[in-house]
Amino acid sequence: MAGVEIRQIVKRFGDVEVIHGINLDIRDGEFVVFVGPSGCGKSTLLRMIAGLESTTGGDILIGDTRVNELPPRARDIAMVFQDYALYPHKSVFENMAFGLRLRKTPEADIQARVKEAAAILRIDHLLERKPRQLSGGQRQRVAMGRSIVRNPKCFLFDEPLSNLDAQLRNEMRTEIKKLHARLGKTIIYVTHDQVEAMTLADRIAVLSGGRVMQYATPDEIYHRPAAKFVAGFTGSPAMNFLRGTLAAGAERFDAGTVQIVLPKSLSSAARARVGQAVELGIRPEDIAIAGDLQNYATATVAASVVVLEPLGAETLVTLRIGEQEVVCRTRPDVSAQPGQTVEARLRLDKLHLFDATNGVALRS
Amino acid sequence: MKSWLDRLRDPSERTLGVILLSPAFALLALIVVYPIGKLFYNSFFDMRLSGGQGSKWIGWQNYADMIKDGAFWDATWNTVLITLITVPGALVVGLALALLANLPFKRQWPVRLALLLPWALPLAFAGLIWAWFFHTEYGFINDVWVRMGGEPRMWLLSPVSAFAAICIAIIWKSSSFMALILLAGLQMIPKSLYEAAEVDGASRWQQFWQITVPMLMPSIVVALIFRTITALQTFDIPYTMTKGGPGNATETLAMYIHKTTIDYLDVGFGSTLAVGMFVLSMILTAAYLRHISRQESA
Ligand SMILES: Nc1ncnc2c1ncn2[C@@H]1O[C@H](COP(=O)(O)OP(=O)(O)OP(=O)(O)O)[C@@H](O)[C@H]1O
Ligand SMILES: [Mg+2]
């Protein structure tokens, strides 16, 4: 068993508290992604798990052992750094072999394990080179190779792809996913890219300001966001929000002249907030202006087209509803023109309500 | 074929380069090439300013004299010995100081200041401080020595201890310069390398040998070159501490040249000795440079 358990973790730098009591429980073999905006404490949390940063409070357990006081080398983890941190004066082979040599692994064993890892990562032809003779993507592979040869209990990745160009990033993302399937080891992965988080993770921890906003599967995060922050962080373009109030016993959402009758489940969850300010959330793909979404229960509102952004496979249409703007994802052959008035249909089962003051999702 | 005036008006990149560099070249020629050339020239003359008989071309005679001159070889040996002892000595002490100064102190400047101080002191002043340290009656060393139950000793009057005292003074003086260069090098090493090594399982000691030393090598080589060249020119510290004594046990090549030229006014022979020292410096510098270029191509 080599899960990771984080209990009430607190981190202070001097007088500044940057992590405020986080609880997470990561199962053995699970791929968990920490995602959040810059400065939310993702790296700090990861570095505390690695032992590169001390903990101010709380406990960290790796595979049932409390590791708070253990140095990194005694935690049986491997880490891939954002800048790769390859040893510039050592060859690729020696970079990968370093950890094994320090553990006095027999030479034949070192040879076998480095060669195996190099073959998996397709860098076997680069073993004699120095890091400065490699491309960014190759360095990235070496950094991963260095972590897998040691066969640790747990892998920690801190934004490993952020220094690569878009195409290489997609490629390496797939590689990492394959690697996880192959090794079956626990991986904790830090990124600020929601696409990486959604595609890689078994579970995502969305962080903001040193707190966990939601810890759930990508599907859950996307479809049942626990807070406005989470909803606004996932999806591209992000979820639309309409500010308004709850009226008529929470059965109706009013935003100026726009009125939307809420489905039963939502209005019952929001009953306590009648008359209060809320935000209605809806994703771009759950709004239709052409003949889409015919098979779903929808609410219809009047809208005017502001701008069209054709992306090839789809077109993004910015609509004005009342005083506010939303983005809608449509088929590329949509016949709308800027300035035109259209009927926008919002899928009722995909509406989200958030408390306007603290951003918490209202649901049953 | 364009006239040079035309070229000046619309210079190609190459011509422009030559034009822009020429003042610097002229200055270099004036302050480097001319004195060295003059030195070589003088070394072929019998030029004794004490006799008042003018200078006389004597070909290689001065060089023949130099090779037969025991005092020249003694001074050369002393210089080389000082270099062999104080350069590695200053490297070790300087590295230790640099590592110390690189520790994450709350306030960096007192540490840096303490590092800079010996470097900022004039050489002759450093020599005087250490001469006092080793003084037979008033010196700090003898004070400690006597308290520990020893007999007061005349440190600077016995060849071996005088030599050792001079080496200690030079190491003290020059290790702060070493430390400054090495500190700059240390700060260039990315922190993540140490973190990666720590995760890989390296102890502090292993991190030092596997990360710090190899990453610091370029700075070490530069510091060694500078230090070696200045060590070969050692003058002030032995001059103020012992004046080359006892006898000429601590006389360096630079001191011997000084004595020959300034005290004995023998400019011709003095120039020849200076050429000898120049050649010695060039050999060592060339050796270092070869080492560097080999490292770079490796
Ligand atoms: N050594 C430190 N001393 C003081 N404050 C620090 C230190 N390291 C990080 N912080 C602070 O802690 C907070 C979290 O930093 P952290 O590096 O964990 O953010 P992050 O989520 O990884 O951001 P990014 O996406 O930019 O890498 C930030 O506000 C940062 O300023
Ligand atoms: Mg970070």
Side-chain angles (χ1 to χ4, degrees):
Chain A
M1 273 298 290
V4 177
E5 210 177 317
I6 297 168
R7 291 183 194 149
Q8 283 301 324
I9 278 293
V10 174
K11 177 67 186 178
R12 265 196 294 275
F13 289 110
D15 297 334
V16 189
E17 189 169 298
V18 297
I19 303 275
H20 317 282
I22 284 182
N23 288 297
L24 287 172
D25 137 55
I26 294 154
R27 290 189 281 266
D28 184 31
E30 197 171 23
F31 198 134
V32 167
V33 174
F34 296 168
V35 69
S38 191
C40 68
K42 312 178 290 285
S43 299
T44 305
L45 189 55
L46 192 76
R47 290 164 56 82
M48 284 196 285
I49 298 172
L52 295 171
E53 211 76 74
S54 65
T55 51
T56 312
D59 294 314
I60 298 175
L61 286 83
I62 299 179
D64 298 332
T65 319
R66 185 172 176 276
V67 296
N68 285 42
E69 272 74 47
L70 293 182
R73 62 172 171 278
R75 296 188 181 196
D76 201 6
I77 43 124
M79 183 149 173
V80 176
F81 294 80
Q82 182 171 1
D83 66 355
Y84 314 139
L86 299 178
Y87 311 121
H89 51 283
K90 292 183 190 288
S91 67
V92 168
F93 184 93
E94 287 305 325
N95 261 280
M96 292 170 68
F98 188 53
L100 297 175
R101 292 211 190 287
L102 291 171
R103 284 170 173 72
K104 305 254 181 309
T105 312
E107 183 62 32
D109 217 16
I110 293 178
Q111 291 282 342
R113 281 160 76 171
V114 172
K115 296 241 162 80
E116 190 196 342
I120 293 174
L121 292 160
R122 287 180 281 123
I123 48 173
D124 19 12
H125 57 297
L126 304 172
L127 288 175
E128 297 311 314
R129 294 216 196 150
K130 291 275 170 65
R132 71 183 133 84
Q133 299 165 313
L134 301 177
S135 72
Q138 290 168 337
R139 282 178 210 181
Q140 218 285 323
R141 285 167 197 270
V142 177
M144 294 212 302
R146 186 171 63 181
S147 71
I148 64 177
V149 288
R150 283 211 346 258
N151 198 19
K153 277 191 201 143
C154 173
F155 291 92
L156 308 175
F157 290 72
D158 192 355
E159 308 212 21
L161 305 184
S162 61
N163 286 341
L164 303 179
D165 64 53
Q167 194 187 342
L168 210 49
R169 193 152 50 207
N170 290 342
E171 210 172 286
M172 289 309 298
R173 205 173 62 211
T174 317
E175 295 275 325
I176 291 175
K177 190 147 193 175
K178 281 192 208 153
L179 202 64
H180 179 241
R182 176 171 186 145
L183 302 174
K185 289 286 171 86
T186 312
I187 295 183
I188 305 177
Y189 186 107
V190 163
T191 180
H192 58 248
D193 179 3
Q194 51 107 2
V195 179
E196 265 170 42
M198 296 291 289
T199 49
L200 288 173
D202 293 325
R203 273 194 294 174
I204 299 176
V206 182
L207 275 73
S208 171
R211 291 198 167 77
V212 176
M213 306 305 287
Q214 190 169 7
Y215 181 42
T217 61
D219 191 67
E220 175 99 359
I221 295 269
Y222 192 80
H223 294 290
R224 288 175 56 81
K228 187 190 166 196
F229 175 83
V230 176
F233 200 79
T234 47
S236 167
M239 185 182 279
N240 299 294
F241 298 103
L242 292 169
R243 287 186 145 268
T245 48
L246 288 172
E251 276 166 26
R252 209 178 66 218
F253 170 82
D254 288 3
T257 53
V258 181
Q259 299 192 333
I260 294 166
V261 175
L262 298 172
K264 276 261 153 21
S265 59
L266 214 51
S267 66
S268 64
R271 187 143 300 139
R273 316 267 167 151
V274 179
Q276 289 182 17
V278 290
E279 300 210 35
L280 183 78
I282 183 149
R283 293 206 178 269
E285 59 270 29
D286 298 322
I287 305 176
I289 54 171
D292 298 333
L293 302 182
Q294 294 291 9
N295 300 331
Y296 299 100
T298 54
T300 305
V301 294
S304 63
V305 176
V306 179
V307 72
L308 284 93
E309 296 169 87
L311 295 176
E314 64 195 21
T315 293
L316 302 179
V317 182
T318 304
L319 300 172
R320 180 179 299 278
I321 296 178
E323 303 290 294
Q324 306 178 63
E325 286 188 354
V326 298
V327 175
C328 150
R329 194 193 295 272
T330 64
R331 280 183 281 116
D333 56 358
V334 68
S335 61
Q337 296 295 324
Q340 188 183 341
T341 306
V342 293
E343 280 198 332
R345 269 173 290 117
L346 318 180
R347 237 181 106 169
L348 286 177
D349 59 330
K350 294 289 184 181
L351 292 178
H352 304 265
L353 273 182
F354 303 98
D355 186 305
T357 45
N358 62 16
V360 173
L362 309 178
R363 59 183 182 212
S364 42
Chain B
M1 183 71 195
K2 284 198 281 186
S3 80
W4 67 270
L5 241 169
D6 280 336
R7 278 213 234 165
L8 259 187
R9 219 166 278 138
D10 181 21
S12 69
E13 197 166 329
R14 212 187 125 116
T15 330
L16 186 67
V18 172
I19 294 171
L20 291 178
L21 280 176
S22 52
F25 271 130
L27 195 67
L28 261 184
L30 196 70
I31 63 173
V32 177
V33 181
Y34 173 74
I36 292 177
K38 183 74 176 156
L39 195 70
F40 270 98
Y41 182 75
N42 283 347
S43 70
F44 295 107
F45 285 86
D46 180 359
M47 218 198 262
R48 267 173 279 200
L49 304 183
S50 51
Q53 69 268 64
S55 53
K56 189 168 105 227
W57 174 269
I58 52 167
W60 294 97
Q61 188 55 50
N62 279 332
Y63 288 88
D65 290 348
M66 179 173 78
I67 288 169
K68 280 181 289 185
D69 181 10
F72 165 72
W73 288 113
D74 286 345
T76 305
W77 171 240
N78 285 341
T79 308
V80 170
L81 200 58
I82 284 178
T83 306
L84 289 179
I85 293 170
T86 64
V87 173
L91 176 67
V92 172
V93 177
L95 184 57
L97 290 175
L99 290 171
L100 198 67
N102 200 36
L103 292 178
F105 287 109
K106 265 245 163 60
R107 294 197 202 301
Q108 293 281 350
W109 67 263
V111 185
R112 304 276 152 92
L113 186 68
L115 256 193
L116 268 165
L117 219 52
W119 178 65
L121 280 184
L123 277 164
F125 192 55
L128 288 174
I129 293 175
W130 283 91
W132 171 77
F133 254 56
F134 285 103
H135 194 280
T136 313
E137 288 166 55
Y138 316 112
F140 170 77
I141 305 281
N142 256 352
D143 186 46
V144 174
W145 184 257
V146 170
R147 277 164 206 263
M148 294 194 334
E151 281 291 299
R153 299 180 66 163
M154 296 185 277
W155 301 101
L156 297 179
L157 296 180
S158 111
V160 174
S161 63
F163 201 89
I166 285 171
C167 287
I168 290 171
I170 293 175
I171 290 174
W172 176 81
K173 175 79 174 86
S174 58
S175 45
S176 74
F177 170 73
M178 280 279 191
L180 285 179
I181 294 187
L182 298 180
L183 181 60
L186 280 178
Q187 290 176 337
M188 298 277 289
I189 305 176
K191 238 183 105 216
S192 62
L193 287 187
Y194 291 102
E195 296 184 338
E198 210 164 317
V199 173
D200 265 341
S203 63
R204 277 291 140 90
W205 182 246
Q206 286 164 326
Q207 286 173 39
F208 176 74
W209 287 107
Q210 302 271 353
I211 311 286
T212 309
V213 171
M215 293 294 288
L216 207 53
M217 235 358 157
S219 308
I220 291 177
V221 171
V222 168
L224 283 181
I225 293 177
F226 278 119
R227 240 337 271 155
T228 305
I229 292 171
T230 46
L232 289 175
Q233 299 164 351
T234 301
F235 178 85
D236 309 57
I237 286 178
Y239 192 78
T240 44
M241 282 178 80
T242 63
K243 282 252 170 6
N248 56 4
T250 57
E251 184 174 68
T252 64
L253 204 43
M255 290 163 81
Y256 186 47
I257 295 170
H258 176 264
K259 190 163 81 183
T260 307
T261 317
I262 308 293
D263 294 349
Y264 302 162
L265 296 175
D266 192 345
V267 175
F269 191 59
S271 300
T272 313
L273 294 173
V275 169
M277 185 163 132
F278 178 71
V279 170
L280 188 63
S281 308
M282 289 316 279
I283 292 172
L284 270 157
T285 313
Y288 273 129
L289 288 179
R290 248 187 81 166
H291 172 80
I292 294 177
S293 64
R294 230 185 259 154
Q295 285 251 306
E296 268 167 11
S297 58

